[in-house]
Amino acid sequence: MLPVIHYFNISILIKMQQKILILDFGSQTTQLIGRRVRELDTFCEILPYNKYPENDNDVIGVILSGSPYSVHDPEAFQIDLSRFMGRLPVLGICYGAQFISHSLGGKVEKADSREYGRAHLKTIDTENPLFRGFDNDSQVWMSHGDTITAIPDGFRCIASTPDVRYASYTNGKDVWAVQFHPEVFHTVQGTQLLRNFVVDICGSKQDWSAASFVDTTVAELKKEIGDDRVILGLSGGVDSSVAAVLLNRAIGRNLTCIFVDHGMLRKNEFRDVMHDYECLGLNVIGVDASAKFFADLEGVTDPEQKRKIIGRDFVEVFNAEAKKISGAKWLAQGTIYPDRIESLNITGKVIKSHHNVGGLPKEMHLQLCEPLKWLFKDEVRRVGRQLGMPEHLITRHPFPGPGLAVRILGDITPEKVRILQDADDIYIRGLRNYKVKLSGDEARKVLAAGVPAQMNDGEIEVSLYDQVWQAGTVLLSTVRSVGVMGDERTYEHPVALRAVTSTDAMTADWAHLPYDFMARVSNEIINKVRGVNRVCYDISSKPPSTIEWE
């Protein structure tokens, strides 16, 4: 039996406030719709298409997402539209638009060719509230194999492209539909369209913000926890760090944080992060357990086995330290909203994403505190800024829980970790120090992710580190390659550099880093890191590859 999960009254307050409901039909960009709505200072909740709530008094509008299915597939996801249509404003996106048309008597047919990529709205009814403020030639992003060839009676077309007649349609009252994706960056005025729907049509008060979240959550934490003691496991990452600072503001020294060093963190990370936490005034216990982890990992090469050993050892070390803290009643975690969202795969089965509480020992008997459980990653970063945290902590890239162990192919030894730490340190410092100027879609993407940058003459200047979602170095310790250094032949390991761009890590593209940067980093790694004589760059995207190698 896991620890009792206790939900703060903040959950009740959230349920009582206005919200947009997003019904997920399996699209890879459903979470992106949610993030865009939140960026409009409006709370939203993502639910599987078949989990529409019995009580929707707090819902002010419904959005139907895209889907990997055709509406004609026998296993296609379907919902009874009458549950909300006619009572609430509805926006159908891609499959959502096609499903509405198909369900109400319109016609959806296989397109002559797959409509994928950029398109331009040439005919737009800019008097319609959905397209208010739009340009006459607005770029949008299409991604569908079917197309709407007839709309239901009582509906009319309000936007077209040269190839898609019914790019958008409405009944003129409470239903709008678009066959393109307003949530993606390639739809230039997508945010404007969502603003028109969420704010103007649905009537959002736009009262969901980092400042209001901090004030409300701190007040509720004080009320619910009172004088109880709380334990929080820190990882050095953004989520747990923001959760710690938020709790510290509410309960101060009654919070004890535990930061376990398993020996596979980045170079000097344990020292640097401990220093950051002390500067933030957190009560932190640092535990160097690297000897235990290295001993238990000796000779293990299977990636899954490595993860299990590290997870087991972490729980043992954490539990041993937690038992030393008398009177603790709560366990705090940096769980965020994407950890809790039910996602749909194309088999139609509901899959729960991982939950941080999964490996806790039964005997801890602590109540669970998850102060960030309603936030997306970019919202967590905004809350961190609201709390006055240093930027380098807020903008840290995601880092795997097992650390460099899953970036070393083969068995783990202290020497291999040292090689990888040295190479990775050169790479990450290089990304932070190399500045680039961005404009257009790329600039909008970086700014939307919350990176602090000033627009100057249509351009922003940021580091390569801020431009990519995640970067890291992989040691191919099972491979040796021949090289020449000076007049001597070498037989050492190659390393692979990895950098990806993404919005939610569900999909990711390899980052097109500048050649001069790659040349500089490669040269520095080979010259300075003993044990490496070759540097490669991973140009695989997810899918079919994953971001991490193991």
Side-chain angles (χ1 to χ4, degrees), residues 513-548:
L513 301 179
Y515 286 163
D516 63 323
F517 167 79
M518 299 296 292
R520 187 187 311 169
V521 166
S522 171
N523 187 61
E524 188 174 353
I525 289 174
I526 291 172
N527 285 339
K528 293 184 177 180
V529 181
R530 289 180 292 106
V532 175
N533 66 355
R534 193 176 299 270
V535 175
C536 311
Y537 187 56
D538 183 346
I539 58 169
S540 311
S541 295
K542 176 187 178 181
S545 300
T546 54
I547 295 176
E548 297 294 343

Side-chain angles (χ1 to χ4, degrees), residues 444-501:
R444 285 195 298 274
K445 190 182 298 184
V446 170
L447 290 173
V451 175
Q454 293 294 324
M455 185 75 77
N456 246 334
D457 296 326
E459 288 186 331
I460 60 172
E461 184 177 78
V462 297
S463 70
L464 281 179
Y465 186 87
D466 287 333
Q467 191 183 3
V468 303
W469 167 269
Q470 187 173 348
T473 310
V474 179
L475 177 64
L476 282 63
S477 72
T478 57
V479 177
R480 287 185 181 271
S481 65
V482 175
V484 177
M485 291 186 180
D487 294 324
E488 295 184 2
R489 178 180 182 272
T490 62
Y491 194 53
E492 297 179 332
H493 299 296
V495 295
L497 307 182
R498 182 77 157 136
V500 297
T501 58

Side-chain angles (χ1 to χ4, degrees), residues 11-251:
S11 301
I12 299 173
L13 292 175
I14 284 171
K15 289 176 182 176
M16 289 174 61
Q17 76 173 65
Q18 290 184 325
K19 69 180 174 186
I20 298 291
L21 197 63
I22 300 167
L23 296 180
D24 180 17
F25 287 83
S27 171
Q28 291 183 337
T29 61
T30 300
Q31 286 196 29
L32 192 52
I33 300 171
R35 290 178 61 217
R36 295 289 170 264
V37 173
R38 294 280 186 91
E39 287 167 8
L40 297 171
D41 298 328
T42 302
F43 183 70
C44 68
E45 190 170 357
I46 298 172
L47 294 175
Y49 73 99
N50 58 352
K51 295 290 183 69
Y52 190 83
E54 292 299 322
N55 184 349
D56 65 354
N57 293 334
D58 49 348
V59 178
I60 60 172
V62 179
I63 297 177
L64 310 184
S65 82
S67 174
Y69 285 121
S70 160
V71 295
H72 298 295
D73 289 340
E75 65 270 35
F77 301 140
Q78 299 184 38
I79 187 174
D80 179 3
L81 295 173
S82 66
R83 296 193 63 184
F84 47 83
M85 193 171 286
R87 296 191 302 106
L88 295 166
V90 178
L91 173 64
I93 295 175
C94 196
Y95 175 90
Q98 294 172 358
F99 179 72
I100 291 171
S101 178
H102 178 70
S103 300
L104 300 182
K107 186 178 291 187
V108 178
E109 298 180 291
K110 183 70 67 177
D112 292 336
S113 61
R114 179 171 166 79
E115 293 161 347
Y116 180 83
R118 291 177 176 83
H120 290 267
L121 298 180
K122 295 293 186 182
T123 307
I124 309 175
D125 179 2
T126 53
E127 296 301 312
N128 189 278
L130 191 67
F131 288 103
R132 194 167 291 135
F134 260 60
D135 300 330
N136 286 325
D137 184 6
S138 190
Q139 177 184 292
V140 297
W141 186 263
M142 296 283 188
S143 180
H144 52 91
D146 290 349
T147 193
I148 297 170
T149 55
I151 55 178
D153 291 342
F155 287 76
R156 62 186 178 87
C157 177
I158 52 174
S160 303
T161 75
D163 298 315
V164 181
R165 180 181 179 187
Y166 299 110
S168 179
Y169 66 92
T170 181
N171 65 357
K173 298 180 295 182
D174 55 7
V175 179
W176 289 263
V178 295
Q179 286 203 85
F180 54 88
H181 288 271
E183 69 274 19
V184 304
F185 289 103
H186 301 301
T187 297
V188 175
Q189 292 184 281
T191 299
Q192 179 67 42
L193 185 147
L194 290 173
R195 179 186 299 276
N196 289 343
F197 178 73
V198 170
V199 180
D200 296 343
I201 294 172
C202 297
S204 167
K205 296 176 183 176
Q206 295 186 280
D207 52 5
W208 175 261
S209 66
S212 66
F213 176 83
V214 169
D215 291 344
T216 303
T217 305
V218 167
E220 289 301 322
L221 287 168
K222 287 180 178 179
K223 179 181 176 182
E224 293 295 319
I225 294 175
D227 293 327
D228 292 350
R229 300 200 67 180
V230 179
I231 302 171
L232 186 147
L234 285 171
S235 67
V238 179
D239 302 334
S240 67
S241 299
V242 173
V245 174
L246 190 62
L247 274 160
N248 186 58
R249 178 168 291 193
I251 63 173

